[in-house]
Amino acid sequence: MAQRGCTECVTVETTEVKTRVKPNPKQEIKQHARKEHLAGAGALLSTAVAMYEKHKAKTDPENAHKHHVAGTVAGAMAIGSGAYALHERHDKKDAEKTAKYNC
Protein backbone atom coordinates (compact mmCIF):
# COMPACT_ATOMS: atom_id res chain seq x y z
CA MET A 1 0.00 0.00 0.00
CA ALA A 2 1.29 3.45 -0.86
CA GLN A 3 0.23 6.55 1.07
CA ARG A 4 -0.01 9.97 -0.53
CA GLY A 5 -1.48 13.28 0.52
CA CYS A 6 -1.15 16.05 3.04
CA THR A 7 -1.65 15.90 6.79
CA GLU A 8 -5.34 16.77 6.37
CA CYS A 9 -6.32 13.66 4.39
CA VAL A 10 -4.32 10.62 3.44
CA THR A 11 -5.13 8.73 0.26
CA VAL A 12 -4.50 5.02 0.59
CA GLU A 13 -4.11 3.25 -2.75
CA THR A 14 -4.66 -0.45 -3.16
CA THR A 15 -5.05 -2.43 -6.32
CA GLU A 16 -8.84 -2.30 -6.11
CA VAL A 17 -10.11 0.90 -4.45
CA LYS A 18 -8.86 4.33 -3.40
CA THR A 19 -10.13 5.43 0.02
CA ARG A 20 -9.58 8.60 2.02
CA VAL A 21 -8.68 8.23 5.69
CA LYS A 22 -9.19 11.18 8.06
CA PRO A 23 -6.52 11.71 10.75
CA ASN A 24 -7.21 11.47 14.44
CA PRO A 25 -9.20 14.59 15.53
CA LYS A 26 -7.05 15.11 18.63
CA GLN A 27 -3.91 15.00 16.50
CA GLU A 28 -5.41 17.57 14.12
CA ILE A 29 -6.18 19.89 17.05
CA LYS A 30 -2.60 19.57 18.30
CA GLN A 31 -1.22 20.34 14.83
CA HIS A 32 -3.28 23.52 14.55
CA ALA A 33 -2.29 24.58 18.08
CA ARG A 34 1.40 24.02 17.28
CA LYS A 35 1.14 26.04 14.06
CA GLU A 36 -0.68 28.81 15.94
CA HIS A 37 2.10 29.05 18.53
CA LEU A 38 4.80 29.10 15.85
CA ALA A 39 3.00 31.85 13.95
CA GLY A 40 2.67 33.88 17.15
CA ALA A 41 6.39 33.48 17.80
CA GLY A 42 7.09 34.61 14.23
CA ALA A 43 4.93 37.69 14.72
CA LEU A 44 6.76 38.52 17.95
CA LEU A 45 10.17 38.09 16.32
CA SER A 46 9.20 40.17 13.28
CA THR A 47 7.93 42.95 15.54
CA ALA A 48 11.22 42.94 17.44
CA VAL A 49 13.19 43.17 14.20
CA ALA A 50 11.00 46.05 12.99
CA MET A 51 11.55 47.96 16.23
CA TYR A 52 15.31 47.31 16.06
CA GLU A 53 15.50 48.54 12.47
CA LYS A 54 13.54 51.68 13.38
CA HIS A 55 16.06 52.35 16.14
CA LYS A 56 19.00 51.73 13.78
CA ALA A 57 17.49 54.14 11.22
CA LYS A 58 17.65 56.89 13.86
CA THR A 59 21.15 56.09 15.11
CA ASP A 60 22.77 55.38 11.70
CA PRO A 61 21.84 58.30 9.41
CA GLU A 62 24.11 57.12 6.56
CA ASN A 63 22.13 53.89 6.10
CA ALA A 64 18.79 55.18 7.35
CA HIS A 65 16.95 54.33 4.14
CA LYS A 66 18.17 50.73 4.22
CA HIS A 67 17.08 50.35 7.84
CA HIS A 68 13.72 51.98 7.09
CA VAL A 69 13.04 49.52 4.25
CA ALA A 70 14.10 46.55 6.40
CA GLY A 71 11.83 47.76 9.20
CA THR A 72 8.90 48.09 6.82
CA VAL A 73 9.43 44.56 5.51
CA ALA A 74 9.69 43.19 9.06
CA GLY A 75 6.47 45.00 9.99
CA ALA A 76 4.67 43.45 7.03
CA MET A 77 5.96 40.04 8.07
CA ALA A 78 4.66 40.62 11.59
CA ILE A 79 1.20 41.42 10.24
CA GLY A 80 1.26 38.32 8.03
CA SER A 81 2.37 36.08 10.89
CA GLY A 82 -0.36 37.46 13.12
CA ALA A 83 -2.97 36.82 10.44
CA TYR A 84 -1.71 33.25 10.00
CA ALA A 85 -1.89 32.69 13.77
CA LEU A 86 -5.51 33.90 13.73
CA HIS A 87 -6.26 31.60 10.78
CA GLU A 88 -4.81 28.60 12.64
CA ARG A 89 -6.79 29.52 15.75
CA HIS A 90 -10.02 29.40 13.73
CA ASP A 91 -8.98 26.07 12.19
CA LYS A 92 -8.28 24.70 15.67
CA LYS A 93 -11.71 25.82 16.88
CA ASP A 94 -13.34 24.16 13.85
CA ALA A 95 -11.41 20.94 14.53
CA GLU A 96 -12.52 21.02 18.17
CA LYS A 97 -16.17 21.41 17.09
CA THR A 98 -15.79 18.56 14.63
CA ALA A 99 -14.21 16.32 17.24
CA LYS A 100 -16.89 17.18 19.78
CA TYR A 101 -19.93 16.55 17.57
CA ASN A 102 -18.71 13.80 15.22
CA CYS A 103 -17.22 11.36 17.70
Side-chain angles (χ1 to χ4, degrees), residues 32-50 74-75 77-86 88:
H32 287 301
R34 193 174 307 124
K35 289 178 184 178
E36 179 187 353
H37 289 303
L38 286 174
L44 184 66
L45 179 66
S46 297
T47 303
V49 170
M77 288 176 55
I79 292 170
S81 293
Y84 183 67
L86 186 64
E88 285 299 326

Side-chain angles (χ1 to χ4, degrees), residues 1-53:
M1 267 193 290
Q3 291 185 354
R4 292 184 189 169
C6 63
T7 58
E8 300 296 324
C9 293
V10 178
T11 303
V12 179
E13 294 181 17
T14 61
T15 55
E16 306 91 34
V17 180
K18 287 185 180 180
T19 58
R20 295 190 77 111
V21 179
K22 279 295 212 180
N24 184 3
K26 289 182 181 179
Q27 183 182 9
E28 188 177 359
I29 292 168
K30 285 182 182 180
Q31 286 176 352
H32 287 301
R34 193 174 307 124
K35 289 178 184 178
E36 179 187 353
H37 289 303
L38 286 174
L44 184 66
L45 179 66
S46 297
T47 303
V49 170
M51 291 175 68
Y52 172 76
E53 290 295 337

Side-chain angles (χ1 to χ4, degrees), residues 33-75:
R34 193 174 307 124
K35 289 178 184 178
E36 179 187 353
H37 289 303
L38 286 174
L44 184 66
L45 179 66
S46 297
T47 303
V49 170
M51 291 175 68
Y52 172 76
E53 290 295 337
K54 184 177 179 183
H55 170 72
K56 287 300 278 185
K58 289 180 181 178
T59 59
D60 185 15
E62 289 180 3
N63 298 317
H65 182 69
K66 181 187 113 183
H67 291 298
H68 179 72
V69 169
T72 305
V73 170

